[in-house]
Amino acid sequence: NAGSAAMEEGEGLLSVDYEVFGKVQGVFFRKYTQGEAKRLGLVGWVQNTSHGTVQGQIQGPAARVRELQDWLRKIGSPQSRISRADFSNEKEITALEHKDFQILK
């Protein structure tokens, strides 16, 4: 598939915002998300919201961002129950805007 091959070559950087719904607070979701992001070499942040969801931003190589998106959609932390994950504001960036992956209070 020529389209995906082109993406691989440039391995462009992506930035995407996310919000995860379900039983995702009080289950170490933020800690596991941070761990997974670091394992994949991604930067960004994660925080709990006042309405019971977890939200944040991911930045890094497109293929790795896709991996974390899958993880947020299907896996999460061991005790979590994910009903859905929404992604928005996806865009290509020329440089990372975060130094690492932080848990925000």
Side-chain angles (χ1 to χ4, degrees):
N1 173 330
S4 66
M7 277 298 290
E8 286 300 324
E9 275 172 38
E11 193 52 32
L13 296 175
L14 277 189
S15 175
V16 65
D17 296 344
Y18 62 88
E19 186 168 11
V20 186
F21 298 78
K23 183 187 166 200
V24 293
Q25 287 191 9
V27 291
F28 301 105
F29 200 91
R30 291 172 302 168
K31 183 167 171 282
Y32 276 88
T33 301
Q34 182 188 46
E36 191 66 11
K38 283 184 185 293
R39 189 181 72 76
L40 291 167
L42 298 170
V43 301
W45 52 273
V46 59
Q47 72 181 164
N48 285 340
T49 69
S50 56
H51 51 273
T53 66
V54 167
Q55 69 177 16
Q57 187 176 67
I58 319 163
Q59 294 185 347
R64 296 298 174 92
V65 169
R66 296 280 174 247
E67 282 188 60
L68 190 60
Q69 284 180 296
D70 265 2
W71 186 90
L72 288 166
R73 210 181 266 121
K74 304 182 187 120
I75 302 168
S77 67
Q79 262 80 56
S80 66
R81 294 285 176 273
I82 299 164
S83 55
R84 77 171 202 274
D86 288 353
F87 299 100
S88 57
N89 300 323
E90 183 174 305
K91 58 184 189 284
E92 287 190 23
I93 53 174
T94 51
L96 299 174
E97 295 158 351
H98 308 285
K99 291 239 187 320
D100 54 15
F101 197 94
Q102 293 185 299
I103 295 174
L104 304 183
K105 291 288 178 264

